Amino acid sequence: CVQLLLLPIHVLACLGLWGSFYKKVFPYVVAKVAPTYNRKVCKQKQELFGNLRKFAGPSGQLMLLEIGTGTGPNFQFYPPGCRLTRTDPNPNFRKFLLKSPSENRHLKLERLVVASGEDLHQIPDGTVDVAVCTLVLCSVANVKKVLAEVLRVLRVVSWGSARETGDADLVEWVAADHSSWTYFWQKVCDPIWKYFGDGCSLTRETQKELEKTDFSELNLRCIHVTPYWIPTSPHIIGYAVK
């Protein structure tokens, strides 16, 4: 039934019309929804991003890369003075991000790079202290390639016997337990969500991809965001160390 209801959109997508249209609309949708979502996960984000300063390089200045920046809802949680490089594959977010300097004076906003997470060639190897992905890995074409790029750009510095490494922080909604009603509704809603969530999948098992990636440390926990009955409630939150 869902597939039949989506038939007109599917036809537009096959003709190449839906994607170009919705990429212009999607930033406005995100700008409307992001503040409400941030209020729900404010405590968790404060806890997650509260330790970023300890990953600053030898200079003491924190070099931060955010993949899939969107409208910049995470900026308020970043420590003062950090140097932030923003990336997003959708150029239509630019108008929202141009407002960021006046609204986020505690940050040093560096480049805005229009690029997918799978290809961050504009970011040199080992130049980033912290990489942030929030609600991004559910929509990328290839999670493995994105995580490989994260590993490539993160810093590794050895000082005698000491080893300083970069950190990747994540907040992602993921597939629920396969025996649950939530997972059933995720499967039902997934076709709709992909069209209206700019390719995002509700049933992606991101934690498994993270476990297969060559991180030296992986610290994740599962949380549920209210209301608990909605398909986007199951999340993973945590960090990975190179």
Side-chain angles (χ1 to χ4, degrees):
C1 290
V2 171
Q3 295 286 10
L4 286 172
L5 289 171
L6 288 173
L7 188 59
I9 296 176
H10 186 64
V11 171
L12 289 173
C14 290
L15 294 172
L17 301 175
W18 178 258
S20 58
F21 161 74
Y22 197 68
K23 283 191 181 299
K24 294 178 182 177
V25 175
F26 189 57
Y28 294 92
V29 175
V30 173
K32 205 75 175 174
V33 173
T36 302
Y37 176 79
N38 252 2
R39 285 193 292 272
K40 291 182 178 181
V41 294
C42 180
K43 183 179 178 181
Q44 290 88 345
K45 282 191 175 184
Q46 286 175 335
E47 181 183 341
L48 179 65
F49 298 135
N51 296 320
L52 293 185
R53 179 63 68 189
K54 71 179 184 180
F55 289 97
S59 67
Q61 199 160 39
L62 183 70
M63 305 297 290
L64 197 152
L65 168 71
E66 182 165 356
I67 301 170
T69 303
T71 57
N74 291 326
F75 293 178
Q76 61 183 291
F77 301 103
Y78 296 152
C82 73
R83 302 180 66 172
L84 175 62
T85 297
R86 301 155 290 166
T87 72
D88 202 286
N90 188 342
N92 298 296
F93 278 111
R94 183 179 293 272
K95 65 177 69 175
F96 293 93
L97 292 172
L98 289 176
K99 300 176 184 177
S100 296
S102 60
E103 296 173 357
N104 297 280
R105 297 187 185 278
H106 66 296
L107 304 176
K108 295 181 180 178
L109 299 176
E110 307 259 303
R111 289 190 295 166
L112 171 57
V113 180
V114 178
S116 68
E118 291 91 341
D119 183 11
L120 299 173
H121 68 272
Q122 297 178 64
I123 313 297
D125 296 7
T127 56
V128 173
D129 297 316
V130 176
V132 174
C133 294
T134 61
L135 308 186
V136 170
L137 296 178
C138 60
S139 59
V140 298
N142 190 314
V143 177
K144 185 177 180 180
K145 283 186 178 180
V146 175
L147 295 177
E149 281 290 83
V150 168
L151 281 172
R152 179 184 66 79
V153 301
L154 285 176
R155 172 179 57 86
V156 176
V157 181
S158 297
W159 301 97
S161 60
R163 184 174 184 267
E164 296 182 4
T165 59
D167 163 75
D169 288 60
L170 308 113
V171 182
E172 298 284 343
W173 47 47
V174 292
D177 183 277
H178 287 203
S179 62
S180 67
W181 276 106
T182 302
Y183 183 71
F184 170 79
W185 288 114
Q186 284 180 329
K187 294 289 284 185
V188 171
C189 297
D190 206 39
I192 304 173
W193 197 257
K194 283 179 180 176
Y195 280 125
F196 291 97
D198 200 21
C200 177
S201 173
L202 293 170
T203 57
R204 186 163 285 179
E205 296 181 330
T206 304
Q207 64 272 33
K208 291 185 178 180
E209 290 295 333
L210 288 162
E211 289 166 0
K212 289 188 285 187
T213 306
D214 192 23
F215 288 112
S216 64
E217 181 183 346
L218 185 61
N219 190 316
L220 299 173
R221 62 189 176 96
C222 296
I223 63 170
H224 285 79
V225 176
T226 57
Y228 300 125
W229 54 267
I230 62 174
T232 57
S233 178
H235 281 55
I236 55 169
I237 184 169
Y239 63 89
V241 180
K242 183 171 179 177

